[in-house]
Amino acid sequence: MARAAGARGRVARCGRCGRRALVAFAAWTAGWVLAAALLLRAHPGVLSERCTDEKSRRILAALCRDYQGGWLTGGLCEDLCVAGHLLYQRCLYYERGKKVLQAEWRGRPVVLKSKREAFSSFPPLGLLEEEAGPGDQGTPEAELLLLVAGEVKNTLGLELPNSSVGSLWPARRGPGWRRQLASAWSLLQQEEYVYFSLLQDLSHHVLPVLGSCGHFYAVEYLPTGSPHHTALFPLDDTAHQGGQAQAISHIALSFLDMVSHFDNDFSHRLHLCDIKPENFAIRSDFTVVAIDVDMAFFEPKMREILEQNCTRDEDCSFFDCFSKCDLRVNKCGAQRVNSNLQVICDKIFRHWFPSTLKSPSPAVSPQLWLQLQQAVQQCAEPGGPAGNSWRTAPSVFWKLRWLLQAMLRELQKVQT
């Protein structure tokens, strides 16, 4: 009897061990599935396909057939499919299913974007399939807004009031409302569209959405940065050295303005986890604009991404965002330990102000240039004062800002 009871106890304990092991394995698997999904979304070389004009024209032709067949709608559909005011120009790139095309809309260059090629590839809104009548008057507005809020929360990791998400959703407009809902639902399933739509009235550092047709949306076309440009961003090649130095100073100050804005001006800090010249563009007034925010995350979502199982600090890196591994519990910290500022200093500013380069203009004093180089180096170090955001160590942010403004004054003084 005693031996039997002991055996049962051991079996029970083993059962509990097995359940704990299964729970731990499930958590580990879920973490890696999330990381793999985000990796596929972020990495430019994964699952890309050849970008051709022939296929791009076929994609837009299929979009217009769906519009003419009454499946989708949008403010740009008439200009694209009927009036000929929105004209395809060239294919920019295909990446992991995402299609990015350049077009001209009433004489204005624009970019057409969609996360997927075909409208039918987006999961439909279940409530629309359940509706029997074409008028769609049976579904309460509050229930639809609840669905929208849930989709936005899933995308951003934020709970937003109905007044905020209402702008993403069409008002009731009679018989065509089903097409409007279906089109809006396909757009809501695209993270970048949600970011641009919600932030366009709050930030001049993101692209505004100009309009949409079905699952494609249009944004302003701006020349993007590239490591192949001498100054990372396209500047006037005929500009003399002092003119280029002035432009770089303006752009650097705009990057600092963007850092401060993303850190402080929303309800949660906005983290950029893929900082490279190609993901930004420069307006004619030198304002920096984030043109690709597929890897941007508000604080709640950032914490969810970082908080994974680990055995070392390297396991806690998610592209340009990383935390540290707590070896007591083998868990990555939810708090990001570097910052947007540190990565921008490392990947952008170091290119402009390397320690080996002499002053780009006689107008800039060697002392000021040396101070700027040292400040950039200090900012770019992962363990430096910029590591936890400029709010916790503001000195390097304000030092950079003051030095860049001083450099700009010295350059402008020569021209007056």
Side-chain angles (χ1 to χ4, degrees):
M1 289 290 290
R3 284 196 298 271
R8 285 195 297 271
R10 285 192 295 274
V11 168
R13 285 194 297 273
C14 288
R16 287 195 293 272
C17 292
R19 284 193 294 274
R20 284 197 296 269
L22 283 173
V23 169
F25 178 75
W28 178 86
T29 303
W32 276 107
V33 167
L34 174 63
L38 290 166
L39 172 64
L40 289 175
R41 190 174 92 180
H43 201 285
V46 178
L47 302 183
S48 59
E49 55 182 306
R50 188 163 171 259
C51 184
T52 68
D53 288 334
E54 181 185 359
K55 182 167 184 180
S56 299
R57 292 182 189 279
R58 287 204 309 267
I59 291 169
L60 293 181
L63 177 69
C64 287
R65 285 195 299 271
D66 284 343
Y67 168 64
Q68 290 156 353
W71 295 102
L72 56 82
T73 189
L76 297 179
C77 290
E78 195 72 12
D79 279 359
L80 175 66
C81 303
V82 180
H85 296 315
L86 180 57
L87 301 171
Y88 169 82
Q89 288 189 318
R90 66 188 178 108
C91 181
L92 294 178
Y93 63 88
Y94 300 160
E95 192 176 290
R96 308 171 317 280
K98 185 177 183 180
K99 303 296 183 286
V100 183
L101 317 174
Q102 187 177 342
E104 185 179 272
W105 181 38
R106 298 178 180 266
R108 177 183 185 180
V110 297
V111 175
L112 296 174
K113 289 186 170 189
S114 177
K115 185 179 178 179
R116 299 180 183 178
E117 177 178 322
F119 183 70
S120 59
S121 64
F122 288 92
L125 179 59
L127 286 176
L128 288 184
E129 294 185 321
E130 295 168 10
E131 292 287 351
D136 301 325
Q137 301 302 315
T139 305
E141 186 78 11
E143 190 173 345
L144 287 169
L145 284 176
L146 193 63
L147 278 174
V148 175
E151 190 68 19
V152 170
K153 182 182 179 183
N154 181 57
T155 299
L156 305 184
L158 299 178
E159 290 194 29
L160 299 179
N162 285 357
S163 58
S164 297
V165 300
S167 61
L168 299 170
W169 203 241
R172 291 182 181 271
R173 296 180 183 177
W177 197 48
R178 286 179 70 89
R179 295 193 298 273
Q180 293 176 37
L181 291 183
S183 300
W185 189 247
S186 71
L187 292 170
L188 276 175
Q189 294 172 65
Q190 303 184 55
E191 296 89 344
E192 189 173 72
Y193 171 82
V194 175
Y195 271 107
F196 284 157
S197 298
L198 291 176
L199 298 181
Q200 62 185 1
D201 294 329
L202 304 174
S203 175
H204 59 280
H205 288 293
V206 296
L207 288 172
V209 175
L210 303 176
S212 63
C213 177
H215 57 302
F216 271 89
Y217 58 97
V219 294
E220 178 184 3
Y221 172 80
L222 292 170
T224 65
S226 167
H228 303 299
H229 293 303
T230 304
L232 295 184
F233 296 95
L235 302 175
D236 187 355
D237 292 334
T238 63
H240 56 82
Q241 197 73 357
Q244 187 176 89
Q246 277 196 55
I248 288 173
S249 300
H250 280 296
I251 297 169
L253 284 167
S254 186
F255 265 112
L256 292 183
D257 180 72
M258 184 188 71
V259 165
S260 173
H261 176 52
F262 286 176
D263 263 4
N264 296 286
D265 294 348
F266 306 131
S267 57
H268 295 278
R269 189 178 307 161
L270 182 62
H271 298 273
L272 304 178
C273 293
D274 190 17
I275 292 175
K276 57 188 177 183
E278 300 94 311
N279 288 344
F280 300 95
I282 308 297
R283 296 191 188 278
S284 58
D285 64 353
F286 301 119
T287 298
V288 174
V289 181
I291 62 170
D292 188 329
V293 292
D294 281 338
M295 290 287 287
F297 306 98
F298 283 110
E299 181 74 23
K301 192 79 170 181
M302 185 79 265
R303 296 176 72 87
E304 178 186 331
I305 292 168
L306 290 175
E307 199 171 21
Q308 303 297 326
N309 294 330
C310 62
T311 57
R312 54 181 184 166
D313 286 344
E314 287 76 10
D315 297 334
C316 303
S317 296
F318 183 75
F319 297 89
D320 291 328
C321 299
F322 58 83
S323 64
K324 288 187 175 293
C325 182
D326 185 345
L327 294 176
R328 295 171 300 176
V329 292
N330 292 115
K331 199 84 170 176
C332 295
Q335 181 71 44
R336 183 185 178 188
V337 297
N338 67 338
S339 68
N340 292 336
L341 177 60
Q342 183 264 316
V343 182
I344 286 170
C345 283
D346 184 30
K347 293 193 169 184
I348 307 290
F349 287 6
R350 266 183 174 173
H351 180 89
W352 290 330
F353 313 108
S355 57
T356 56
L357 185 68
K358 293 182 180 179
S359 174
S361 169
V364 180
S365 66
Q367 182 183 8
L368 176 60
W369 181 251
L370 179 61
Q371 287 179 305
L372 187 53
Q373 290 173 315
Q374 291 173 341
V376 168
Q377 184 70 23
Q378 180 188 14
C379 173
E381 291 301 323
N388 288 316
S389 115
W390 74 271
R391 263 192 306 191
T392 58
S395 60
V396 70
F397 174 90
W398 293 111
K399 183 190 290 187
L400 280 169
R401 192 169 182 269
W402 184 88
L403 290 169
L404 287 166
Q405 289 173 334
M407 178 175 165
L408 197 54
R409 285 194 297 270
E410 289 190 0
L411 289 166
Q412 291 170 339
K413 197 180 297 181
V414 175
Q415 294 186 335
T416 57

